[in-house]
Amino acid sequence: MASFSFDQNALDKIGREAVENFNRQMQPVLDSVFEEYGGQPVDVVKDALASRWRAAGGEPLGEPEVTEWATEISEGTRLVLGNAG
């Protein structure tokens, strides 16, 4: 039987890099929604956020994140993904 091993540190590094790259790609989406829609009603922010996120990332934001994030932006809070900001 063949022996199998892998480098957990290398795997962890690849995972961290993927998350960092995603955050760098998606932070401008949050920033643009904040700049254009901050202070507006949650439903307006939610529609803009969901649409732009899907367009930039290909995957729709799920609940409860889209509502929570839209509420924060509506209240004037700039959201920062991980170390993107």
Side-chain angles (χ1 to χ4, degrees), residues 9-70:
N9 290 333
L11 186 60
D12 291 345
K13 181 181 179 201
I14 291 168
R16 281 190 308 274
E17 289 173 353
V19 169
E20 290 168 2
N21 288 336
F22 178 81
N23 289 349
R24 275 194 298 276
Q25 175 187 348
M26 299 308 288
Q27 186 62 49
V29 175
L30 288 177
D31 289 342
S32 72
V33 172
F34 173 74
E35 289 168 11
E36 292 182 44
Y37 295 93
Q40 294 192 31
V42 173
D43 287 339
V44 172
V45 177
K46 187 175 176 178
D47 288 345
L49 177 59
S51 174
R52 290 185 187 192
W53 190 271
R54 187 173 41 254
E59 293 291 326
L61 275 175
E63 289 293 346
E65 289 82 12
V66 68
T67 298
E68 290 174 0
W69 293 5

